[in-house]
C-alpha cells in the first residue's frame, strides 16, 4: 500500500536513455496521472525557486549563465562522476522535489499515479510506491541514444552512464521490467500489458 491513501502509485525508473519518459507518456495515455521528478528538480533550481540560492552558495557563482540562471550543463559536468558533489546537489534539491510530489499526488483526481525518477529505488520514494517499473536497454543502445538525441560524444555518454548506480540493482528491485530495445509497437504492448496487470489486481 502506498504512502498516499486511495492512490495506487507506480514508481518508474531505469538509467539514462532507457526510455523512462516514453513509458511515462504511454501510462499517461492509458489513464495514469504522471509526475516527472527530473522536471521538478529543474524547476526547483530555477532562478527564484527554493533550491536556487542554496546551490549557488554551495557550488559558486561560476555555474550561472549570463542571464543569471543555473547552467545545468556546467553543473552536470561538475557533479556526474564525482559522488560527493552529486550527493551534495541531491541533498539540496530532493527535499523540495519530495514536497512537490506529495502535493501533486494529493491533488490528483486519478487513482493511479506514476512517478518517474532516476534515483527512485535509492531514496525514500521506493517505500512510497506500490509497484516498481524499470525500463531497460543495453549500454551500447544507451550510448547511441545519448549521442543522437543529446549530442554527447561517446566518452561523455559513457561517463554519464557509469556515474549512475548499476542498472541491475534497479532490475532486481522491479515488479515489472520493460525491455526498450525493439520497436515502439512492442514497447506499447509491454506497457499496456503491465497496465492491465496493475489495474486489474
Amino acid at each position: 500500500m502506498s504512502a498516499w491513501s486511495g492512490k495506487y502509485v507506480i514508481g518508474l525508473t531505469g538509467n539514462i536513455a532507457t526510455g523512462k519518459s516514453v513509458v511515462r507518456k504511454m501510462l499517461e495515455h492509458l489513464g495514469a496521472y504522471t509526475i516527472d521528478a527530473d522536471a521538478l528538480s529543474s524547476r526547483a533550481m530555477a532562478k527564484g525557486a527554493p533550491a536556487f540560492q542554496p546551490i549557488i552558495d554551495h557550488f559558486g557563482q561560476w555555474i550561472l549563465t549570463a542571464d543569471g540562471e543555473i547552467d545545468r550543463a556546467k553543473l552536470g559536468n561538475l557533479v556526474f562522476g564525482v559522488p560527493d558533489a552529486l550527493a551534495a546537489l541531491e541533498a539540496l534539491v530532493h527535499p523540495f522535489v519530495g514536497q512537490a510530489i506529495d502535493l501533486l499526488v494529493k491533488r490528483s483526481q486519478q487513482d493511479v499515479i506514476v512517478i518517474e525518477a532516476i534515483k527512485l529505488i535509492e531514496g525514500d520514494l521506493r517505500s512510497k510506491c506500490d509497484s516498481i517499473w524499470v525500463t531497460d536497454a543495453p549500454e551500447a543502445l544507451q550510448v547511441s541514444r545519448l549521442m543522437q538525441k543529446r549530442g554527447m560524444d561517446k566518452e561523455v555518454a559513457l561517463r554519464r552512464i557509469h556515474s549512475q548506480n548499476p542498472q541491475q540493482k534497479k532490475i532486481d528491485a522491479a515488479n515489472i521490467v520493460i525491455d526498450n530495445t525493439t520497436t515502439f509497437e512492442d514497447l506499447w504492448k509491454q506497457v499496456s500489458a503491465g497496465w492491465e496487470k496493475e489495474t486489474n489486481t
Side-chain angles (χ1 to χ4, degrees):
M1 185 174 174
S2 83
W4 294 282
S5 178
K7 305 294 185 185
Y8 187 85
V9 179
I10 296 170
L12 173 62
T13 192
N15 278 355
I16 193 168
T18 56
K20 293 183 299 302
S21 295
V22 176
V23 170
R24 174 174 52 81
K25 287 169 188 170
M26 287 180 173
L27 287 165
E28 187 174 302
H29 182 77
L30 287 164
Y33 178 77
T34 70
I35 298 169
D36 180 353
D38 187 53
L40 293 176
S41 295
S42 296
R43 286 182 205 169
M45 63 175 72
K47 192 174 182 179
F52 177 81
Q53 195 57 49
I55 291 171
I56 302 306
D57 292 343
H58 186 87
F59 292 102
Q61 298 278 338
W62 72 276
I63 60 168
L64 293 176
T65 63
D67 59 1
E69 292 282 357
I70 289 172
D71 186 325
R72 294 196 72 206
K74 270 188 187 176
L75 188 58
N77 288 335
L78 171 67
V79 302
F80 287 110
V82 185
D84 288 349
L86 184 57
L89 178 63
E90 289 171 350
L92 295 170
V93 175
H94 284 186
F96 298 113
V97 173
Q99 290 169 21
I101 288 171
D102 185 59
L103 189 64
L104 290 168
V105 172
K106 287 175 178 174
R107 283 184 178 175
S108 71
Q109 300 299 306
Q110 289 97 314
D111 294 331
V112 181
I113 313 292
V114 174
I115 303 172
E116 176 194 337
I118 200 160
K119 284 286 188 82
L120 187 118
I121 68 162
E122 295 86 351
D124 295 338
L125 269 178
R126 178 181 187 170
S127 63
K128 296 180 178 180
C129 297
D130 296 286
S131 181
I132 305 293
W133 287 35
V134 174
T135 53
D136 190 35
E139 185 176 285
L141 191 51
Q142 289 176 274
V143 170
S144 174
R145 288 171 178 164
L146 289 171
M147 291 173 71
Q148 289 174 18
K149 296 180 180 179
R150 304 202 195 179
M152 295 182 186
D153 63 36
K154 188 173 182 179
E155 185 181 335
V156 171
L158 283 167
R159 192 164 72 243
R160 188 65 62 92
I161 291 165
H162 294 158
S163 73
Q164 298 177 339
N165 288 338
Q167 174 76 356
Q168 190 59 46
K169 285 190 176 180
K170 293 177 169 63
I171 292 170
D172 291 344
N175 298 97
I176 291 177
V177 177
I178 303 292
D179 174 33
N180 185 17
T181 56
T182 56
T183 63
F184 186 84
E185 290 74 16
D186 179 61
L187 188 64
W188 172 251
K189 282 180 187 174
Q190 291 181 69
V191 172
S192 298
W195 174 261
E196 200 70 25
K197 180 181 174 184
E198 297 280 41
T199 55
N200 288 323
T201 53

